[in-house]
Amino acid sequence: MRGVTRARGAVCAVTVALAAAGCGGGSSGGGTGGAVLSSSWGDPQNPLEPANTNEVQGGKVLDMIFRGLKKYDPRTGKATDMLAESIRTTDSRNFTIRVKRGWTFSDGEKVTARSFVDAWNYGASLRHNQKNAYFFGYVDGYDKVHPGSGAQTAETLSGLKVVDDRTFTVRLRQTFSGFPDTLGYAAFAPLPRAFFTDHAAWLSRPVGNGPYTVDSYMKGSRMSLRKWDGYPGPDKARNGGVDLMVYTDNNTAYTDLMAGNLDLVDDVPAAQLKNVRSDLGDRYINTPAGIIQTLAFPYYDKAWNKPGAEKVRTGLSMAINRKQITETIFDRTRTPATDWTSPVLGVAGGYKAGLCGRACDYDPAGAKKLIEEGGGIPGGQVRITYNADTGSHKEWVDAVCNSINNALGDGRACVGNPVGTFADFRNRIGRHKMPGPFRAGWQMDYPLIQNFLQPLYYTDASSNDGKWSNRQFDRLVDRANAETDRAGAVRLFQRAEEVVRDHMAAIPLWYQNGSAGYSDRLSDVALNPFSVPVYNEIKVG
């Protein structure tokens, strides 16, 4: 889903008013909700429309204020029914979906079949320019609603039909056996009528159907969420709410945690990993997550996309000493990647240790030889672009460049290219302004191998930021999606992944654990397989 980032800044340590309002240490929520906790956060890149949020910070909020047809188990990641009473199909192409009774939005409106159909049609429309529109591309009629070029010629997806108040049907463009398991992703959330009738007001204070409601938001400072006492779901909030505090430096967030001004830091900065265990003891969490870090390439730049360039990219991969970097900088919170997915998937889910082969082994001599055979580094220098508003990116980018420079015997072969903020970084990526490789990360949207491959490498996919395109890869993904046997689908996806390897479409760096630290006010703190705190289960006091 979301490009992984942790963009935050200092507010609690310097703003007395916010501390008094509940930045850390004992604010209380209204009604029967109990005490409110404070947690580090970063401003979302975009307004919090479910189909327009594809990064971690906005995703955290959507996961708190919305519930969809499916929900991913906070411990196993398995997709289980939430608002779906049933999802039936006989051919993995035509689905009949029945919505449970008793669900409402926090403004009192009933959640119906139309709540989903209208939301999906909105998300798919070219006119609305939603970043997650691609996720509706499986549905019949998407080519009319969101054509690759020209104006849209239809307002709604022909593959969506409302049958009655609680039933709708979905017809896909091709068979896709994994389709039901994607429906826990936030892009597929239902939307109330207020979203459409007074869109500006809704954006200023989103209304959803999850265990929390948005109480207030001050960009650059804080978003306050409060427990919704009328929430009908089984996963009610066990606290009064969450104040998400904006940080642009997670070292400052960690300092605030230690000073008692913040309750939860959900990304312990690299500079603190050496002492976090002694600082926090059993209040430090380090658990596997469905996250991989990579280096992506600008394939819209002919210098990186010419014949032989795959040898240069593979050589750069072989010049990176992943083991040394993960041990010295990340202290057991990263594991060298040997494929393009995540061990969280398990073997049955598509993870295949070692699929990358020698291309991910540190081999300075082999790296230098391949780069020379490929015509050398474009322009004579690799510039790795990254956002500089967190402490850890600079450290590992510098380490990667040092490794490349040492392997090639050239102290200027690789340099870091910092961009001030995550928002600016993402905007440059969106405008295709990258001068060379750039930091990329992927946090799974749902636990399928398909999610680690198709959104990132399929031609014109939603998160294919480098614009890589390969017909063989696309064909294999199409075949895998059409395969009704799960094991058979996994094998086809792994063949597609081998195409990614053979062309080194992106350089896999390491699998990322989720890490967090919390105050002694909190209990029952855990991270889900997506590396996001399970906020609704946290107790305060």
Side-chain angles (χ1 to χ4, degrees):
M1 133 179 173
R2 323 168 207 204
V4 178
T5 184
R6 305 284 191 241
R8 334 199 144 138
V11 288
C12 292
V14 299
T15 309
V16 176
L18 288 184
C23 194
S27 64
S28 61
T32 61
V36 174
L37 67 113
S38 57
S39 181
S40 59
W41 188 54
D43 283 313
Q45 181 188 9
N46 302 299
L48 291 171
E49 299 165 298
N52 203 32
T53 296
N54 67 344
E55 43 77 37
V56 175
Q57 305 306 333
K60 289 177 186 175
V61 179
L62 295 182
D63 289 342
M64 298 169 74
I65 66 174
F66 280 103
R67 287 294 180 264
L69 294 165
K70 294 274 189 177
K71 184 177 185 294
Y72 302 114
D73 187 280
R75 288 159 187 82
T76 67
K78 182 180 178 181
T80 57
D81 288 343
M82 182 54 75
L83 270 74
E85 182 175 283
S86 62
I87 301 176
R88 297 192 175 94
T89 184
T90 58
D91 59 4
S92 293
R93 184 176 180 185
N94 293 279
F95 296 84
T96 299
I97 298 175
R98 185 80 167 159
V99 179
K100 290 179 181 176
R101 296 182 187 275
W103 280 85
T104 67
F105 294 99
S106 61
D107 63 359
E109 180 189 333
K110 287 184 179 180
V111 181
T112 66
R114 185 163 294 282
S115 306
F116 287 97
V117 171
D118 287 351
W120 295 9
N121 279 322
Y122 181 94
S125 173
L126 177 65
R127 188 174 298 110
H128 300 138
N129 194 32
Q130 302 285 281
K131 288 188 176 296
N132 287 328
Y134 181 81
F135 282 90
F136 304 102
Y138 305 108
V139 181
D140 257 359
Y142 182 77
D143 57 333
K144 302 292 193 300
V145 170
H146 202 116
S149 61
Q152 66 184 84
T153 57
E155 294 300 313
T156 59
L157 294 160
S158 60
L160 296 180
K161 302 290 183 185
V162 174
V163 177
D164 58 40
D165 202 42
R166 293 174 48 217
T167 310
F168 68 102
T169 60
V170 184
R171 178 175 172 81
L172 305 183
R173 294 197 292 174
Q174 65 171 73
T175 54
F176 180 18
S177 58
F179 178 68
D181 285 349
T182 71
L183 298 179
Y185 181 43
F188 295 103
L191 287 169
R193 295 307 308 160
F195 178 89
F196 306 98
T197 58
D198 194 346
H199 192 63
W202 190 95
L203 289 179
S204 67
R205 192 171 179 178
V207 172
N209 66 323
Y212 294 91
T213 61
V214 176
D215 186 63
S216 63
Y217 176 38
M218 183 180 294
K219 186 176 177 63
S221 177
R222 174 175 66 180
M223 175 175 283
S224 294
L225 298 109
R226 295 296 179 261
K227 176 182 179 180
W228 176 29
D229 289 332
Y231 175 64
D235 54 336
K236 297 178 185 296
R238 299 165 72 183
N239 50 67
V242 182
D243 284 338
L244 296 173
M245 313 304 298
V246 177
Y247 284 82
T248 55
D249 183 351
N250 53 2
N251 286 289
T252 307
Y254 188 83
T255 299
D256 276 352
L257 173 67
M258 297 306 299
N261 295 323
L262 188 67
D263 289 317
L264 175 61
V265 172
D266 70 346
D267 182 37
V268 176
Q272 306 296 339
L273 292 174
K274 298 295 184 184
N275 52 286
V276 65
R277 291 173 179 83
S278 59
D279 284 346
L280 297 174
D282 60 5
R283 289 183 288 113
Y284 169 59
I285 300 172
N286 177 24
T287 57
I291 301 175
I292 186 171
Q293 296 287 339
T294 65
L295 287 180
F297 291 90
Y299 290 95
Y300 43 82
D301 181 343
K302 292 180 180 179
W304 285 103
N305 201 15
K306 63 185 180 182
E310 71 279 357
K311 291 186 177 182
V312 176
R313 299 190 296 269
T314 302
L316 289 173
S317 175
M318 295 166 64
I320 299 171
N321 192 335
R322 295 166 176 79
K323 183 175 185 295
Q324 182 184 69
I325 294 171
T326 54
E327 289 178 353
T328 59
I329 292 181
F330 294 117
D331 191 29
R332 291 175 285 175
T333 63
R334 309 290 191 275
T335 305
T338 63
D339 85 328
W340 282 261
T341 68
S342 168
V344 165
L345 293 178
V347 174
Y351 168 64
K352 187 173 182 179
L355 184 142
C356 185
R358 63 184 290 268
C360 287
D361 292 338
Y362 180 56
D363 180 1
K368 189 172 184 179
K369 182 174 183 292
L370 268 180
I371 290 172
E372 290 173 351
E373 289 178 359
I377 295 171
Q381 187 180 65
V382 176
R383 297 174 62 198
I384 299 177
T385 304
Y386 64 96
N387 56 296
D389 52 359
T390 61
S392 60
H393 294 321
K394 173 176 170 52
E395 292 175 336
W396 71 254
V397 169
D398 286 348
V400 166
C401 278
N402 286 338
S403 183
I404 292 172
N405 292 342
N406 290 336
L408 302 185
D410 179 355
R412 296 291 298 169
C414 179
V415 295
N417 181 43
V419 172
T421 66
F422 175 68
D424 189 18
F425 174 68
R426 287 299 309 172
N427 287 334
R428 293 190 190 192
I429 289 174
R431 294 195 303 266
H432 302 147
K433 297 294 185 181
M434 289 296 105
F438 53 96
R439 179 190 79 80
W442 188 251
Q443 177 199 56
M444 66 181 182
D445 303 307
Y446 40 84
L448 296 177
I449 182 176
Q450 178 261 1
N451 187 238
F452 283 90
L453 298 177
Q454 186 165 354
L456 294 165
Y457 307 113
Y458 197 92
T459 300
D460 293 328
S462 58
S463 295
N464 187 348
D465 292 327
K467 308 302 290 183
W468 186 66
S469 180
N470 182 280
R471 290 181 181 178
Q472 183 184 9
F473 174 86
D474 291 353
R475 285 195 294 266
L476 285 166
V477 166
D478 289 343
R479 288 176 56 194
N481 281 331
E483 177 61 65
T484 56
D485 173 67
R486 182 180 178 89
V490 165
R491 286 192 295 271
L492 285 167
F493 277 122
Q494 288 174 337
R495 285 178 57 189
E497 190 179 357
E498 290 170 357
V499 177
V500 170
R501 174 199 63 201
D502 294 343
H503 293 266
M504 195 53 68
I507 295 176
L509 295 173
W510 36 76
Y511 311 119
Q512 180 173 322
N513 280 13
S515 66
Y518 57 96
S519 73
D520 56 11
R521 297 180 66 231
L522 307 186
S523 59
D524 293 349
V525 182
L527 299 177
N528 63 25
F530 303 87
S531 185
V532 173
V534 187
Y535 289 108
N536 63 285
E537 294 187 359
I538 297 174
K539 295 180 180 178
V540 185

